[in-house]
Amino acid sequence: MAILLQAKDRLLSRLKSLTKIQRFNHTLEPQMCREMCSDSFNQEVDVSNWKTVDSRNLGITRAMIPQPSWVVLKILKSQGFQAYLVGGCVRDLLLRRVPKDFDVITTANLKQIRRQFHRSEIIGRRFPICRVHIKGSVIEVSSFETVAKHGEGKETVLLSQIPYGCDEIDLVRWRNSIHRDFTINSLFFDPFLNKIYDYANGISDLRCLKLRTLIPAYLSFTEDCARILRGLRIAARLGLSFCKDIDTAMHSLSSSIERLDKSRIMMELNYMLSYGAAESSICLLRRYNLLKILLPFHAAYLDQQAGKITAENPMMMRLFFNLDKLVSCDRPADYTLWVGLLSFHQALVSDPQDAFVVWVFASVLYHGKWKEGVKFARDRAKEPVKFVPEISGFSEIESDEQLAVKVTELALSVQDCVNDLTKASSGYVFVSKKIERNVQQIFDVLVNSIESYNSGKRSHIIDYDMLGKGNLVETRFVLGKIILKTISGGLVAGEEEMPEVLDKDSVENYLAKKNRKRGLQPSSAELKLKTAKKCKWTEKFCSINHELSMNKEDVVPKEEVEEIHKAVKNCQLPDEELKVRTTEKHKWIENSCHLDQELSINEELVQKEGSQQLGEETQKAAKTCQSPEEEIKVNPEKILEKKDRHSLSTEGTNKKRDKQKRADDKKKNGLLLSSLFKEK
């Protein structure tokens, strides 16, 4: 009877699996199933390609993980779940890039994840995740169970190819990896064991800088056409090359992105243009005919410029080139910035402007004040701007009233171009009415009472927290800065360019800043001053250390030193007496640290109060390696004693040393070991 029941259960399970296979096959296009399904499902899984690598050998350590992500990992681990970093963050760390975010995946299900954190919610329908709010950051945590349920039919076929004795957790990770878009995004990092798990030769593809799909590219992009935009974004930011399979599929399926939701396209474009790879992303969009679908006006402009032989890049590409120099994955901008740039450029192409008007337009946005912006433009706008067709010529307008009218007309034209992006005539509409209103508010200050405009920033340093949140004042400042640098071809005050590739230490420094509250960054001049002070204090300390060592060699005979070492080896010398000879050195170290601390306090006062007088005193103290007498309280008798000791001859120094030793002996009511070896 038991045998019959077992046979019945096996038969039912086989029928159930066959039903699941049929359901999976029906979700694919019939032609694609006939061509690819047999090859994809019948091939054996090559377990020999599964690799486990020590992350430390590849330069990845726990110190690179931001504190919020690390807390999430530790909490899940403490509750008995497996937790890993997965996807793009592992890829970027291997390439010495600063990751956009750190995604976590765990063996816990979504409800279990939500119970572990007070501020968390489950979002998404097709692939739900749990968003965890912790320490001012949002960490996206996914579950192995979600992907396993989504691809249950596919896995039923593939599980028969797995050899017996395979590690269960390896199987769980492998199941998840085969559902990902690209091989370089299928890596898992276990920071507790310092292990990276690779099931699809993702590390090898990273070394070759190649983008490759886990399944045939045509099938992958048919399942999810958003992978086309994602692949372009990753290749643009990391400088990857496409394999022939992906190149052909992108050309064939480029029009399929019109089926995507507007918000999804806006999100992908924002990732392309706000995270430091705007110029290269636009080039790839144009190459695969996607720019004609999304931004037909700008695509036609680039096609027209491509037919001209000029030494300069088109103005549109120069604008986004300068944008890339200011933002990165670690410090992105808001979508209002790049939408504003597109609208500004479209306004210039539609109605070319005088170069001086553009100078004033950008300068007022940059300074946040009408009078100061006009003065800056009159002082700097001397050379002609060579951009065709955007710039019509150069003529310095003497009247501020006429200039205000011209700048207001340009601002109104830009707002009209923002409105055009929301109309069907501009191509595939992905800019919503809400985005339109937010972008138009940037230019309202140049339309309404422009001559009384006076509400700019206090400093010329970018506040990246406010920029990422879409703050209007910060967005105007950065927008004006980009335009000024484009038309001038030079540097603007407060500029801070972002490096493309970072070494290991730079990555750790960037990620360490994420663990602290982000504020205004110090200027380059302040950093140079601080570095110079530290170098001078280091040199002074080294010279003091050298003098003490030289004096010690002169005072203490060689034979005495040898006897002391012998006594130490025989454990005849107490620990307190061993420290007597280094007392002076420790005092000098304490004095040096005291000076350094007071100087750092003075620097903070300079930055907060903006006092030039205090800054000059601090610089003077750093140059002379001395602090004001009121701040440094050093015993004058000790200073005179040290000067006398260096000025006296060797014989006088020995007498003073003996006198000091006798005084110390009386205080301690005992004899020092050095007196036992003194020559009589």
Side-chain angles (χ1 to χ4, degrees), residues 193-382:
L193 300 178
N194 292 309
K195 299 293 184 182
I196 294 179
Y197 302 96
D198 181 9
Y199 301 97
N201 288 325
I203 295 178
S204 177
D205 288 340
L206 279 177
R207 287 172 179 165
C208 300
L209 294 178
K210 181 187 296 184
L211 191 68
R212 186 167 57 88
T213 54
L214 283 131
I215 59 177
Y218 198 98
L219 178 59
S220 178
F221 297 156
T222 302
E223 289 180 352
D224 186 3
C225 58
R227 291 175 177 174
I228 297 175
L229 295 175
R230 196 179 309 130
L232 292 175
R233 165 167 55 90
I234 295 172
R237 190 169 74 86
L238 303 180
L240 305 180
S241 61
F242 296 131
C243 63
K244 187 177 180 180
D245 187 25
I246 289 181
D247 184 76
T248 304
M250 281 188 174
H251 278 294
S252 302
L253 299 173
S254 59
S255 60
S256 63
I257 66 167
E258 296 184 22
R259 299 200 302 264
L260 290 174
D261 187 68
K262 295 179 182 180
S263 60
R264 180 63 184 274
I265 288 184
M266 188 65 187
M267 181 187 72
E268 291 292 343
L269 282 178
N270 189 52
Y271 285 153
M272 288 183 182
L273 305 179
S274 294
Y275 287 76
E279 185 188 19
S280 54
S281 296
I282 291 174
C283 290
L284 287 177
L285 288 171
R286 179 169 174 262
R287 175 182 172 184
Y288 290 98
N289 300 320
L290 292 170
L291 197 62
K292 292 181 179 179
I293 299 173
L294 301 174
L295 299 168
F297 180 91
H298 299 86
Y301 163 81
L302 292 177
D303 291 340
Q304 182 183 13
Q305 293 292 316
K308 299 179 181 180
I309 303 176
T310 57
E312 295 288 337
N313 288 333
M315 185 177 183
M316 174 182 166
M317 302 308 293
R318 293 294 301 176
L319 287 169
F320 284 98
F321 171 80
N322 291 322
L323 170 62
D324 291 340
K325 294 297 180 182
L326 298 178
V327 298
S328 68
C329 278
D330 185 53
R331 300 193 285 191
D334 186 65
Y335 62 85
T336 53
L337 182 57
W338 60 265
V339 174
L341 279 176
L342 287 174
S343 304
F344 166 76
H345 179 261
Q346 183 174 338
L348 290 183
V349 175
S350 302
D351 184 15
Q353 296 289 325
D354 185 89
F356 186 64
V357 175
V358 179
W359 265 96
V360 176
F361 178 90
S363 182
V364 173
L365 288 176
Y366 177 73
H367 290 91
K369 300 176 183 178
W370 167 253
K371 293 183 179 180
E372 188 174 341
V374 173
K375 183 178 182 301
F376 180 86
R378 293 190 185 278
D379 294 339
R380 302 294 181 90
K382 303 298 181 182

Side-chain angles (χ1 to χ4, degrees), residues 45 94 108 209 214 276 402 444 476 542 616 633 657:
V45 179
L94 287 171
L209 294 178
L214 283 131
Q402 295 179 358
D444 281 343
R476 292 187 190 110
C542 293
E616 293 175 358
K633 299 180 181 180
R657 175 178 60 91

Side-chain angles (χ1 to χ4, degrees), residues 528-542:
K528 289 180 180 179
L529 176 62
K530 188 174 182 180
T531 304
K533 290 176 181 178
K534 288 187 177 181
C535 291
K536 289 178 180 179
W537 279 110
T538 304
E539 292 175 0
K540 179 171 178 61
F541 174 74
C542 293

Side-chain angles (χ1 to χ4, degrees), residues 469-484:
K469 295 176 182 178
N471 179 268
L472 289 176
V473 174
E474 202 67 36
T475 304
R476 292 187 190 110
F477 167 74
V478 177
L479 181 63
K481 184 172 188 171
I482 293 170
I483 299 173
L484 283 176

Side-chain angles (χ1 to χ4, degrees), residues 398-443:
E398 297 182 358
S399 172
D400 287 355
E401 290 77 10
Q402 295 179 358
L403 192 59
V405 173
K406 293 287 185 181
V407 173
T408 299
E409 290 177 354
L410 177 57
L412 287 170
S413 178
V414 174
Q415 289 184 333
D416 291 339
C417 291
V418 177
N419 180 259
D420 289 342
L421 293 175
T422 63
K423 298 179 181 178
S425 59
S426 63
Y428 182 80
V429 179
F430 58 88
V431 178
S432 64
K433 289 293 183 180
K434 179 181 179 181
I435 295 176
E436 176 194 0
R437 290 192 297 270
N438 293 339
V439 177
Q440 286 180 341
Q441 286 179 1
I442 298 175
F443 306 99

